[in-house]
Amino acid sequence: EKNRLAAAAQTLQKPPGACRLFVGNLHPNINDEMLNAVFTPFGQIEGCKVQKDEKGESKTYAYVTFKTTDSAKQAIDQLHGFELVGRPIKVSYGAEETVADTSTSIDVSRAAMMAKLAANPMMSTSFAPAPAMMANQLAAVAGLGAAGLGGLGLPGVSSLGGMAGLGLPAMAAPVAPAPVVPSAPAPCFNLQNMFNPANETDDGWQQEIIDDVLEEATKFGDVVHIHVDDKSPQGLVFVKCRDGNVATNAMKS
């Protein structure tokens, strides 16, 4: 038993770099794309392959290779024991030459777990996935669409609504976006070409323009202020009304 634990512990001590994981006890209808969607939230994946027999049928286990060991460790911590399509999957460090079939994979997974517990007696044996991480995984699997989920061949699993059969955590109903409330019209506007500064030489010409604008604008409501920019080459006059509706109607006149 000590030798087996030591061997498993040695397997766990992976050098930095790419790290391949063994994933066992898969549902026969899980394919590469579906499995990749479940593992992608933990880091960059360099390879994901469900192993098949000579008939092209799944052997119910796969190998997933992460670019970094940190990503691989997070995947093990979060997904080992995670129920996917009604089956608790087995996730552990593994090499093809050391894992020949599903039954062997269970032994290796147990050995890896025992080695972890031996190294850290206070470590919990519960591998329940973190809710936030599972939400990301669910969103990733949902991204496969109806065609991808339908490939599972399970009753009612043809869209996101049928994902209850996958054994994934329930996903909250999408929240409808808040309605866009149109902004109120501005109470201010300006008039152009009301005068030419070069031609205005009489005293009090600014007041004459104010009186003319006021007479027209007040037909639509109260006017708060009128300003004549007497240095403006565009002949600008600025008008502020009681509210936006008055300003809008005055501009349309």
Side-chain angles (χ1 to χ4, degrees):
E1 183 65 24
K2 290 183 179 180
N3 292 337
R4 195 169 92 166
L5 289 176
Q10 186 175 4
T11 302
L12 290 173
Q13 296 172 357
K14 298 291 182 182
C19 183
R20 184 166 66 172
L21 300 182
F22 171 83
V23 184
N25 199 34
L26 294 173
H27 188 282
N29 287 347
I30 291 291
N31 58 31
D32 297 346
E33 185 181 11
M34 297 173 187
L35 193 63
N36 186 83
V38 173
F39 280 79
T40 293
F42 299 96
Q44 184 175 344
I45 293 177
E46 295 188 338
C48 179
K49 191 69 176 176
V50 174
Q51 303 303 298
K52 298 181 179 180
D53 59 20
E54 61 275 10
K55 296 180 181 180
E57 297 178 350
S58 172
K59 292 183 178 181
T60 69
Y61 68 91
Y63 294 101
V64 177
T65 303
F66 281 95
K67 186 175 182 179
T68 66
T69 53
D70 288 341
S71 297
K73 183 179 184 302
Q74 290 183 38
I76 292 176
D77 292 341
Q78 296 293 337
L79 290 181
H80 179 74
F82 173 59
E83 189 169 313
L84 182 64
V85 197
R87 293 189 176 192
I89 61 175
K90 313 294 182 180
V91 185
S92 64
Y93 297 110
E96 188 172 0
E97 61 270 17
T98 61
V99 182
D101 54 39
T102 306
S103 61
T104 307
S105 72
I106 296 176
D107 290 337
V108 172
S109 178
R110 288 176 181 169
M113 186 189 301
M114 292 172 67
K116 282 187 176 184
L117 293 174
N120 186 0
M122 298 301 293
M123 185 175 184
S124 171
T125 57
S126 173
F127 289 85
M133 188 67 74
M134 289 300 98
N136 290 336
Q137 293 156 12
L138 179 58
V141 175
L144 296 176
L149 294 175
L152 293 174
L154 298 177
V157 182
S158 59
S159 65
L160 185 59
M163 290 192 70
L166 293 176
L168 295 172
M171 189 175 186
V175 179
V180 178
V181 179
S183 58
C188 301
F189 65 95
N190 65 72
L191 302 172
Q192 298 184 17
N193 301 318
M194 294 295 293
F195 59 89
N196 185 341
N199 299 333
E200 302 294 345
T201 57
D202 297 338
D203 292 337
W205 64 268
Q206 298 94 333
Q207 187 60 47
E208 292 180 4
I209 292 178
I210 290 175
D211 293 341
D212 291 342
V213 172
L214 182 63
E215 181 180 356
E216 292 298 321
T218 51
K219 293 177 181 178
F220 306 96
D222 296 335
V223 175
V224 177
H225 181 67
I226 298 176
H227 171 70
V228 177
D229 186 357
D230 54 12
K231 300 294 191 298
S232 168
Q234 294 83 20
L236 293 177
V237 176
F238 298 90
V239 183
K240 181 177 182 181
C241 301
R242 173 173 49 83
D243 56 43
N245 292 329
V246 174
T248 301
N249 293 330
M251 283 190 294
K252 291 178 180 179
S253 64

